[in-house]
Amino acid sequence: MKINSVYSQAFRKFGCILSGYDVSGLMLKLSEKEKPAEGTVYEAGDEDLESLAIAHDFSINAYGGMAVQVGYCNGNNTKLNALEYHRGSEINIPESDIVLLLASLQDVKDNKIDSSKVEAFSIPGHTVVRIYETTLHFAPCNGISKSGISKDGFRVVIVLPLGTNLDKPEITEKNPEDKLLWASNKWLIAHPDSKPAQNGAFAGITGKNIDILHDIK
């Protein structure tokens, strides 16, 4: 599996780079947040991050005045495990280099997708990346350099429409997609060998559970 640059032509169907934002203060606040040595921690909204002026800028400029939440995903991860999507774009801003594993919602058939459809992209630290709502994604992976995969893990700011990833609403299933609803504004497809699948998420990823320790060239 080849790793591409977020600046490559291959990324254009999945998202884009947002310029014009000074994220230095945001990254300073992010550096104070917990980073587990194993696994990941996710906070949908963090008061320290949301108190910064840039949070308002994201709301007005990036989301056209919509209410947003500014949180983070920190930790260590090298596996695909699952793919999710939302109604509305997601902004990722890593503290240091990361890898994102991405696929297209259009490749989901009957709530299933083969992991061969997943592509890998390297994101440099402090880059403001918008992930389109039709892009499947999940937890970031550790960055890769010439010396190999980073053992320092990652910290990534996550901006989303307000209320995303909170408790799943009560739902009466009306169509097959409703089986994928895992949390508020979060539709999830898990790999059978993953923790989300063990916890009851729909196991619709076929093929290998990609692990960048072995599968990235």
Side-chain angles (χ1 to χ4, degrees):
M1 186 180 196
K2 179 183 177 182
I3 182 168
N4 294 296
S5 167
V6 71
Y7 292 98
S8 68
Q9 181 72 20
F11 181 71
R12 293 187 64 182
K13 65 181 178 180
F14 295 118
C16 61
I17 307 299
L18 299 183
S19 61
Y21 294 95
D22 180 357
V23 300
S24 55
L26 189 66
M27 295 293 98
L28 183 61
K29 285 289 186 183
L30 179 65
S31 69
E32 300 170 357
K33 303 302 175 181
E34 172 191 6
K35 181 172 67 175
E38 296 183 5
T40 61
V41 60
Y42 173 74
E43 289 291 338
D46 178 82
E47 291 184 357
D48 292 334
L49 302 180
E50 292 177 342
S51 69
L52 300 175
I54 195 171
H56 178 72
D57 294 341
F58 287 138
S59 172
I60 300 302
N61 294 77
Y63 287 87
M66 290 176 58
V68 300
Q69 62 196 32
V70 184
Y72 58 85
C73 182
N74 299 345
N76 276 267
N77 178 53
T78 63
K79 290 187 175 183
L80 174 64
N81 287 325
L83 291 164
E84 68 179 14
Y85 59 97
H86 316 289
R87 300 290 194 259
S89 297
E90 174 174 317
I91 293 175
N92 286 197
I93 313 163
E95 178 186 39
S96 56
D97 292 6
I98 60 168
V99 171
L100 291 182
L101 300 175
L102 307 175
S104 294
L105 182 58
Q106 292 86 344
D107 286 324
V108 176
K109 308 295 182 184
D110 299 321
N111 288 346
K112 295 184 178 181
I113 183 171
D114 194 276
S115 62
S116 64
K117 297 292 186 179
V118 174
E119 299 181 42
F121 294 90
S122 178
I123 317 292
H126 294 210
T127 306
V128 183
V129 180
R130 176 187 170 199
I131 304 297
Y132 298 146
E133 72 170 60
T134 52
T135 296
L136 304 173
H137 57 280
F138 200 50
C141 293
N142 295 18
I144 296 178
S145 65
K146 292 182 179 180
S147 59
I149 295 175
S150 170
K151 297 181 180 179
D152 294 330
F154 54 81
R155 290 186 177 93
V156 184
V157 166
I158 308 290
V159 186
L160 280 161
L162 186 64
T164 301
N165 287 327
L166 301 184
D167 292 343
K168 177 183 175 180
E170 292 187 12
I171 184 172
T172 299
E173 293 183 7
K174 298 182 182 299
N175 55 62
E177 186 189 39
D178 289 343
K179 296 181 183 297
L180 305 181
L181 188 65
W182 186 247
S184 175
N185 194 27
K186 177 190 183 88
W187 289 262
L188 183 68
I189 306 173
H191 192 279
D193 296 336
S194 70
K195 185 174 292 186
Q198 295 169 10
N199 290 336
F202 184 87
I205 299 180
T206 57
K208 67 169 61 176
N209 186 12
I210 295 169
D211 188 335
I212 65 172
L213 282 172
H214 313 295
D215 299 321
I216 295 292
K217 295 180 181 179

